[in-house]
Amino acid sequence: MKNNNVNFRVFPGGTLRGVARVPGDKSISHRSIMLGSIAEGVTHITGFLDAEDCLATMNAFRAMGVHILGPENGAVTVQGVGLHGLKGPQESLYLGNSGTSMRLLSGLLAGQSFDTVLTGDPSLSRRPMKRVTEPLRQMGAVIKTSPTGTAPIKIRGSGPLEAIHYDMPIASAQVKSCLLLAGLYADGETSVTEPAPTRDHTERMLEGFGYPVCRDGNCVAIRPGGRLVAMDIDVPSDISSAAFFMVGAAIAPDSDVTLKHVGVNPTRTGVIDILRLMGANIEIGNHRMVGGEPVADIRIRSSRLRGVQIPEKLVPLAIDEFPVIFIAAACAVGETRLSGAAELRVKESDRIQVMADGLQALGVHAIATPDGMVIQPRPIKGGKVDSHGDHRIAMAFSIAALRASGPIYIGDCANVNTSFPSFVKLSNALGLNVNVSED
Ligand code: S3P
């Protein structure tokens, strides 16, 4: 079992300076294992995120008979078994804290001929799964969950699924990806429309593996009967991890940070748009394409931020970055308002309530609303906050210390290892002063 009593003590003040490469993109790393496993041939991955969430996906495929080597310095080799080569696992598949693993695997496994059970940690076991189980049932999948629609998810192996058209009620890349993966095993064209653009890594990677995907406006469609051909994947750095240092450099005086090789897929760059609206000094250069994904270097320097009304259309494009965007807002001049972001309440924690509570504990005027927050900046005091086991909350409050007048103590930080195990080391190298204690 993992030690849950990891706490951070972050000393106040400081400046962030330097050049860094943050670890690989979590969403792309998950998909590289999933698609590499069902491809024909050997897929070589570099820049893979060696963190608990992606290792949960990797272990699930190992348990289904896929031979996977690594990760070693980000290098992984996957010996694909083809679309119909997975084997029924001996035991249930434990997916830890990882919503992406559980939702995408539900789709991929619904069309297999063997049974599976997907389980997770207490946080994942509270998260809503009806958003995937309902459309999968419409496709004829035989799936059981708890009475409230949460994990464990029990999937009965059955014949081919029925193709459907699904009009997604929420903007969710996990739901869209789940249904596209199920569509590989359906009896005709499966299509999904999304109410707003969400990250499109699944579509891009399927195309990279040579599997045709039809994209038309807000609709994506897939047909069965194709094959995935193994390829090499170079995973870019995760913009969601880079975001902590982008905000840190913006709010701390005399800061100047360059983040190299960051994935800047336009379905992920809402954080850049929001910080620029707030007046942040961000330069993006060295644009290039790496394996079908746009990549760039991002330089960010101290800026005088102003409060803004965050445009709702940017919400799905920055969905994982709001904890640290709230910290930027707390350091700005003037009020920031966010609405249309109720999804934040069903992430690894209730990110609206947990962030509002933490900000208030540090003296910031933060008012939670059902679908967002109103933040009126005040000088940040030192104090104690609880991350509720949410990696991004722990990292966001670490960054807040750059502008605090006293130390910030953050409880329950072990899950930083789910997405960014080198966070403390890299933060300290750039100029933050984080101390870790375990009890
Ligand atoms: C992800 C999609 C997003 C995001 C999550 C990763 C993905 O979730 O919050 O961290 O890799 O598809 P939703 O689809 O629930 O918005």
Side-chain angles (χ1 to χ4, degrees):
M1 274 316 273
K2 103 174 145 194
N3 178 1
N4 277 322
N5 296 320
V6 172
N7 305 309
F8 290 174
R9 181 171 48 160
V10 196
F11 293 95
T15 282
L16 289 192
R17 297 184 80 86
V19 178
R21 181 166 169 164
V22 301
D25 187 277
K26 184 151 78 74
S27 293
I28 298 176
S29 295
H30 280 298
R31 287 156 171 83
S32 68
I33 298 291
M34 295 179 189
L35 298 191
S37 293
I38 56 167
E40 292 169 26
V42 180
T43 288
H44 296 280
I45 307 166
T46 48
F48 180 80
L49 174 62
D50 185 354
E52 286 171 6
D53 275 13
C54 300
L55 296 177
T57 290
M58 185 183 266
N59 288 335
F61 281 90
R62 283 188 172 133
M64 292 188 285
V66 183
H67 204 78
I68 304 176
L69 286 178
E72 217 182 294
N73 291 326
V76 175
T77 307
V78 185
Q79 309 219 340
V81 296
L83 272 167
H84 299 284
L86 295 175
K87 295 197 174 71
Q90 298 293 311
E91 291 172 0
S92 56
L93 301 173
Y94 177 70
L95 302 170
N97 195 243
S98 178
T100 306
S101 309
M102 187 167 278
R103 297 203 177 110
L104 271 60
L105 274 176
S106 298
L108 182 58
L109 296 176
Q112 305 295 327
S113 55
F114 51 82
D115 299 351
T116 36
V117 179
L118 307 181
T119 62
D121 72 3
S123 154
L124 183 55
S125 304
R126 281 192 297 272
R127 296 182 66 186
M129 293 296 149
K130 276 190 193 155
R131 56 184 59 199
V132 290
T133 55
E134 274 178 2
L136 288 172
R137 284 190 189 118
Q138 287 175 30
M139 294 178 80
V142 184
I143 303 193
K144 277 197 188 139
T145 60
S146 78
T148 51
T150 54
I153 301 184
K154 297 180 181 162
I155 304 170
R156 268 276 287 288
S158 50
L161 300 169
E162 291 159 37
I164 57 165
H165 170 71
Y166 191 63
D167 205 358
M168 279 199 301
I170 44 169
S172 165
Q174 292 180 349
V175 177
K176 173 178 65 174
S177 303
C178 163
L179 298 178
L180 291 175
L181 295 175
L184 294 170
Y185 301 93
D187 61 1
E189 183 178 272
T190 298
S191 57
V192 186
T193 48
E194 48 185 4
T198 65
R199 65 191 69 192
D200 63 354
H201 305 302
T202 305
E203 298 90 304
R204 285 176 189 250
M205 201 182 284
L206 278 165
E207 284 165 346
F209 275 97
Y211 203 103
V213 176
C214 170
R215 305 174 69 170
D216 184 10
N218 65 345
C219 183
V220 197
I222 197 162
R223 295 186 147 273
R227 54 197 276 268
L228 284 79
V229 182
M231 66 163 179
D232 291 349
I233 298 174
D234 181 11
V235 180
S237 292
D238 199 328
I239 190 168
S240 299
S241 297
F244 296 105
F245 302 123
M246 290 167 61
V247 170
I251 64 172
D254 299 322
S255 294
D256 186 350
V257 170
T258 298
L259 300 159
K260 306 282 274 185
H261 204 75
V262 182
V264 288
N265 178 318
T267 60
R268 296 286 299 281
T269 47
V271 60
I272 295 177
D273 299 336
I274 293 169
L275 288 175
R276 278 184 167 155
L277 272 179
M278 297 177 81
N281 179 350
I282 304 177
E283 280 171 33
I284 307 181
N286 196 12
H287 280 277
R288 56 217 183 267
M289 287 300 281
V290 176
E293 290 280 350
V295 169
D297 299 338
I298 300 177
R299 180 177 184 194
I300 177 148
R301 282 172 277 182
S302 312
S303 327
R304 200 178 134 81
L305 300 181
R306 51 181 178 269
V308 293
Q309 165 89 47
I310 297 175
E312 286 195 11
K313 70 173 192 312
L314 293 179
V315 169
L317 311 180
I319 193 68
D320 291 336
E321 287 67 73
F322 283 104
V324 79
I325 290 171
F326 294 150
I327 300 299
C331 299
V333 175
E335 181 178 278
T336 290
R337 300 182 84 91
L338 171 70
S339 57
E343 274 294 297
L344 293 179
R345 291 200 177 269
V346 290
K347 294 293 178 188
E348 287 84 327
S349 70
D350 175 345
R351 287 184 175 161
I352 292 178
Q353 198 55 52
V354 171
M355 282 303 299
D357 291 347
L359 284 168
Q360 280 163 13
L362 301 178
V364 176
H365 202 151
I367 303 141
T369 66
D371 66 342
M373 201 171 330
V374 180
I375 296 176
Q376 284 157 0
R378 299 277 187 278
I380 299 179
K381 301 186 294 189
K384 269 191 173 168
V385 299
D386 187 342
S387 80
H388 288 261
D390 184 329
H391 54 138
R392 299 201 200 280
I393 305 276
M395 292 186 275
F397 280 116
S398 303
I399 294 298
L402 288 161
R403 285 280 292 271
S405 56
I408 298 183
Y409 299 88
I410 310 164
D412 203 0
C413 299
N415 279 339
V416 167
N417 284 338
T418 62
S419 70
F420 198 165
S422 56
F423 173 74
V424 170
K425 195 169 164 213
L426 201 49
S427 298
N428 287 342
L430 288 172
L432 201 67
N433 194 343
V434 191
N435 238 287
V436 182
S437 68
E438 290 182 34
D439 48 56

